[in-house]
Amino acid sequence: MAESLPDIYIEKKAWEQIFEALRYALKHEVQFFGRGTYADQFPEGVTPKGQYVLHEIIIPPQEVTGAFTDTGEGATNVAALNFIIVEALRLGLPIAGWNFWGHTHPGMSTRPSTQDHDNMLQWAKQWGRAIGAVFNEKNEITGWGAGPHPMF
């Protein structure tokens, strides 16, 4: 029997960036965006390590509290999207494939809230499909997706 792929595989660089966000997030909710690749986007003959592979993240400027984060007028605002593109270019990263929305729940479970689900639906409308995850300082993670994709 063939071993199945994990739904989300987080590469080492992205894990390091997420843990950096978690250090700050011990008291504040922090959101970030990631660049990833779906299994159906890998070249023929290349076997991905997961159904979705997260390569790296970017943390935009944001207003944060213990239970809320905002990059402007709602989670899916133009300022956040522009920041991702500008920062990706500054870092020499591709500007395509930024289809992951993650955030932290400091001191709480990683169960997505109704607002989290609403935000994911908005990102899926922007990107066509989206992957999201909630992290906390106990190394708990809950991931989910939105949009037209066979794994959902």
Side-chain angles (χ1 to χ4, degrees), residues 52-119:
Y52 177 85
V53 178
L54 180 63
H55 305 295
E56 59 236 330
I57 68 164
I58 287 178
I59 304 171
Q62 57 198 279
E63 213 177 296
V64 297
T65 69
F68 177 78
T69 178
D70 191 7
T71 56
E73 295 297 318
T76 56
N77 68 77
V78 174
L81 295 173
N82 286 341
F83 181 84
I84 294 165
I85 292 169
V86 169
E87 188 68 1
L89 289 171
R90 186 185 73 75
L91 296 170
L93 301 171
I95 60 169
W98 293 91
N99 48 22
F100 177 91
W101 176 64
H103 68 288
T104 61
H105 278 180
M108 298 182 288
S109 86
T110 58
R111 183 170 188 239
S113 67
T114 301
Q115 182 63 51
D116 294 341
H117 285 290
D118 290 346
N119 287 346

Side-chain angles (χ1 to χ4, degrees), residues 6 18 31 39-40 42 57 63 79 85 91 94 102 111-112 123 126 138:
I18 290 166
Q31 70 174 319
D40 64 3
F42 279 83
I57 68 164
E63 213 177 296
I85 292 169
L91 296 170
R111 183 170 188 239
W123 285 118
Q126 297 261 352
K138 297 176 192 169

